[in-house]
Amino acid sequence: MSDDEFRAALSRLAAGVVLITAHDPDAGPRGEDAGMTATAFLSVSLDPPLVMVSVRNGSRMDDLLAEQPLWAVSVLSGHQRQIAGRFAMKGRISDRLLFEDIAHVRGEASGAPLVGGALATLECRTEQRVAAGDHTLVIGRVLATGVPNEDDGPLTYFRGRYRQLG
């Protein structure tokens, strides 16, 4: 099986789109926020409440979450395709500039940005990191949740494109 065959098969699996965020207190005088678009995110356990995200080894988010145990998830709505694309770009500008014009609040439990207009938000603390090929699975205990937007549908990723349901 080739890499392309593997990608083609998995592109048929529709996935929800989230923005993973964390605050890096060591970056500059006030620290810096970091964000990463993810489609490999899921619920792991109800008791205790655990979620998991897969991050590419050596990425900015992988390095940050290895040091910073607190992070957040914003479940993106169908109208937040621009946010997903912005934080998924290769060779992108600094995270500080990416957050500049996006409405967000700072999570009380994590200190990480929570995107305005998201369908749901979760604030987490890393419980475990598991090496998995060229990625790391980060399992987090959910410390707080919010459901600020109940009126929109989710942003999904299917066959290499962002899509809206409904």
Side-chain angles (χ1 to χ4, degrees):
M1 167 189 60
S2 71
D3 288 352
D4 288 340
E5 289 170 326
F6 182 64
R7 279 190 201 98
L10 291 182
S11 76
R12 278 24 178 214
L13 176 64
V17 183
V18 301
L19 183 67
I20 305 296
T21 57
H23 183 75
D24 183 356
D26 298 329
R30 292 184 311 221
E32 183 175 275
D33 295 323
M36 176 195 93
T37 301
T39 55
F41 173 80
L42 55 95
S43 169
V44 173
S45 169
L46 185 59
D47 186 18
L50 299 174
V51 294
M52 184 198 75
V53 65
S54 178
V55 296
R56 186 174 36 83
N57 292 342
S59 66
R60 164 98 163 99
M61 192 58 71
D62 180 41
D63 293 343
L64 179 54
L65 294 184
E67 301 294 323
Q68 166 60 283
L70 298 173
W71 46 284
V73 180
S74 295
V75 179
L76 298 180
S77 78
H79 293 97
Q80 294 181 310
R81 180 184 307 222
Q82 266 190 315
I83 293 171
R86 177 184 286 198
F87 284 90
M89 281 189 299
K90 290 185 169 122
R92 64 188 197 204
I93 59 176
S94 79
D95 284 72
R96 180 182 54 79
L97 294 175
L98 292 177
F99 280 105
E100 205 165 67
D101 64 345
I102 294 175
H104 64 278
V105 296
R106 193 155 304 283
E108 289 184 29
S110 66
L114 304 172
V115 175
L119 294 179
T121 58
L122 302 98
E123 295 185 77
C124 307
R125 181 185 65 238
T126 299
E127 292 277 309
Q128 188 176 3
R129 292 173 53 88
V130 179
D134 60 0
H135 279 65
T136 299
L137 307 178
V138 181
I139 299 169
R141 179 181 295 257
V142 179
L143 306 173
T145 62
V147 186
N149 180 359
E150 297 182 34
D151 296 332
D152 205 353
L155 181 63
T156 61
Y157 193 71
F158 180 71
R159 288 191 162 180
R161 293 184 38 219
Y162 295 116
R163 301 172 190 261
Q164 285 181 255
L165 288 183

